[in-house]
Amino acid sequence: MNGLRTNVPGQTLRSRGVMHLWELGPQRQADLVRLMDSDAATMTRTVRRLEQAGFVRRRPSPTDKRASLIEPTAASHALRHQVEQVWTHLEALSTAGLSDEERTAALHTLERLEQNLVRAAAEGADAGEAAGAAGAAGAGGEE
């Protein structure tokens, strides 16, 4: 599934982002941030990776000249059934033997854990970039 896999937090975010676009149609990036309870920096990286993989494209908003809309491409639509099957299978495996109430509670907890991991990964990447930039600036000033 190249780019839409769901085995690590960033890839989960990408597949969920595309799934939102499949269901809701083209969205502004800010709307995706709210829909997915993400942050702007993480969503920017997510959309950029999806764009590079050919799963989404940007187009000008017909109602706001300052904004662009993110929309799924034919390449992502071609994978829709497969991605949905993976999510359905994963949900069935992970909630087997649970009551409906237990299943709902577990899924809410897992969504929160996922959000925490995505946020931590983004903060770690941002901290690493900042440290790298600071180190490069410090190294350049000490001659």
Side-chain angles (χ1 to χ4, degrees), residues 41-84:
T42 299
M43 189 57 61
T44 296
R45 285 190 296 276
T46 299
V47 169
R48 183 176 55 241
R49 288 179 182 136
L50 286 167
E51 237 179 336
Q52 290 169 345
F55 294 120
V56 300
R57 69 175 153 256
R58 296 174 192 268
R59 68 174 169 86
S61 169
T63 58
D64 183 351
K65 293 184 183 203
R66 298 168 297 160
S68 61
L69 297 177
I70 313 299
E71 64 182 3
T73 63
S76 75
H77 282 291
L79 294 175
R80 183 175 183 170
H81 180 71
Q82 191 177 4
V83 170
E84 289 172 345

